[in-house]
Amino acid sequence: MVGRRLNKAKLWRLLKPFVYLAPAIILLSVWMYKPLITTFYLAFHKWNMVPGTDKKFVGLENFDKLFHNPAFLDSIGNTVFYTVGLLPFSILIPLVLAVVTNNMNGRMKNFYRGIFFIPMILAPVSVSAIWRWLFHPSNGVINHILLKMNLIDQPIAFFSDANFAKWIILLITGWKMIGFSVIMFSAALTGINREYYEAAAIDGASSMRQFINVTVPLMSPMIMFMMMMSILFSSQWTFAYIDILTTGGPYGTSTNIYYEMYRFAFSNLNAGFSSAAALVFFFIFGVIALLMNAASRKLSFYDN
């Protein structure tokens, strides 16, 4: 009897961690792993997503068509543009703002950080409506100011102009993401021992020298983390504004890979083609994540 109780207790100790993990495992399986496996499966099939229709196995045909599709190739270039263009908004500007606000007193520090974070919590639809009004071709504030300053002769249809569309998408996305990065960098700054700055000040180091030689090295783990986040998720962050403001136009100049995957599936009704594109970038972003992790381990400095 005692031995049976001991066996049950031992079994419970073995199973208890998995019982606690079960809700997370179930949610991950339903919302991540199952869709991922389905994407792998559909990438080698042709299917129009109509209920009751069969999925036709086409092998590597989707991939062959994908790399000969001009829209897909253009979206890769725009994806790189958004990825590189968002780095100043997610790294450089927020880092400076976090350092500046960190030297303020408690109330002002929280006030400014709250202001910076407000765009982050606004719904993309609301943000798009505001910016669409600002850049409206006939009664927008931006056109009105430019006309008053005699910088332009006639109003500009910014979202329909290939010279401006993707730059404005970049500006809107960057403006919205600054607050998140400021909060992350501010949290990291609180973990830096103030004695380093006191010692640097005694040695005669200026504020800029302290920033370069003390703040940046000690912030390097967070900088590398935010850089990886920006590179991996920049295309997702721009998706909503592309969809609402430009729908990828004009002539595909503002699209990116995520919007093209959405268009392949829901506009062209070709789930296999969209899954093939998703699979390609799954491996590309996976490699990038591995390289960024390796770079982070090598370049990050920890105050141990």
Side-chain angles (χ1 to χ4, degrees):
M1 192 72 176
V2 176
R4 185 178 297 177
R5 288 180 179 175
L6 290 174
N7 288 334
K8 286 184 177 179
K10 185 177 180 180
L11 179 63
W12 172 243
R13 283 197 302 270
L14 292 173
L15 293 178
K16 184 160 58 172
F18 297 99
V19 173
Y20 290 135
L21 288 172
I25 293 174
I26 292 171
L27 288 174
L28 286 172
S29 299
V30 172
W31 297 110
M32 291 189 65
Y33 301 134
K34 183 179 181 296
L36 182 61
I37 294 171
T38 303
T39 300
F40 272 76
Y41 173 77
L42 290 175
F44 301 95
H45 291 75
K46 184 177 181 180
W47 184 46
N48 59 11
M49 297 190 297
V50 176
T53 58
D54 295 328
K55 302 174 183 65
K56 179 182 178 182
F57 179 77
V58 293
L60 298 176
E61 181 181 326
N62 286 328
F63 295 93
D64 180 60
K65 291 182 178 179
L66 190 66
F67 289 108
H68 290 87
N69 187 297
F72 177 74
L73 298 177
D74 290 340
S75 71
I76 294 176
N78 287 336
T79 300
V80 174
F81 168 80
Y82 290 127
T83 300
V84 176
L86 281 177
L87 288 176
F89 295 99
S90 60
I91 306 295
L92 183 59
I93 298 174
L95 181 58
V96 173
L97 292 175
V99 171
V100 171
T101 55
N102 192 58
N103 296 323
M104 297 178 177
N105 61 51
R107 290 186 177 180
M108 292 304 297
K109 181 191 301 184
N110 295 331
F111 173 74
Y112 280 107
R113 287 176 179 175
I115 290 177
F116 295 145
F117 194 71
I118 286 174
M120 181 65 195
I121 61 178
L122 295 177
V125 174
S126 302
V127 171
S128 299
I130 293 170
W131 285 93
R132 177 181 288 162
W133 171 74
L134 289 173
F135 286 99
H136 195 276
S138 59
N139 56 9
V141 174
I142 303 300
N143 270 312
H144 179 73
I145 293 173
L146 294 176
L147 287 169
K148 285 291 185 181
M149 297 176 65
N150 294 320
L151 295 176
I152 57 175
D153 297 325
Q154 56 184 5
I156 301 172
F158 289 98
F159 295 115
S160 302
D161 192 320
N163 296 317
F164 295 101
K166 67 179 181 180
W167 287 97
I168 297 176
I169 295 295
L170 177 64
L171 173 65
I172 296 171
T173 309
W175 168 79
K176 197 172 189 298
M177 296 311 302
I178 284 176
F180 173 72
S181 296
V182 169
I183 295 298
M184 296 297 289
F185 285 134
S186 298
L189 279 171
T190 60
I192 298 179
N193 194 330
R194 300 302 302 177
E195 292 180 359
Y196 292 118
Y197 295 103
E198 294 171 3
I202 292 172
D203 290 339
S206 63
S207 298
M208 180 58 68
R209 183 59 60 184
Q210 291 179 32
F211 175 77
I212 295 173
N213 292 341
V214 178
T215 304
V216 172
L218 293 175
M219 291 278 287
S220 57
M222 181 57 71
I223 292 173
M224 293 301 297
F225 172 74
M226 291 306 300
M227 185 178 295
M228 181 169 66
M229 287 280 291
S230 181
I231 291 173
L232 295 179
F233 295 106
S234 57
S235 295
Q236 294 184 29
W237 295 337
T238 56
F239 173 87
Y241 308 108
I242 294 172
D243 185 38
I244 297 170
L245 295 173
T246 67
T247 62
Y251 312 112
T253 54
S254 65
T255 189
N256 67 14
I257 181 60
Y258 282 94
Y259 189 75
E260 285 304 305
M261 285 190 284
Y262 166 81
R263 194 174 63 83
F264 292 154
F266 297 101
S267 295
N268 300 344
L269 295 179
N270 194 337
F273 203 54
S274 177
S275 297
L279 191 57
V280 169
F281 271 82
F282 172 79
F283 286 109
I284 291 175
F285 285 134
V287 171
I288 292 174
L290 291 174
L291 292 175
M292 290 296 297
N293 277 324
S296 180
R297 287 193 297 269
K298 185 176 180 180
L299 299 176
S300 297
F301 175 80
Y302 296 92
D303 180 21
N304 296 327

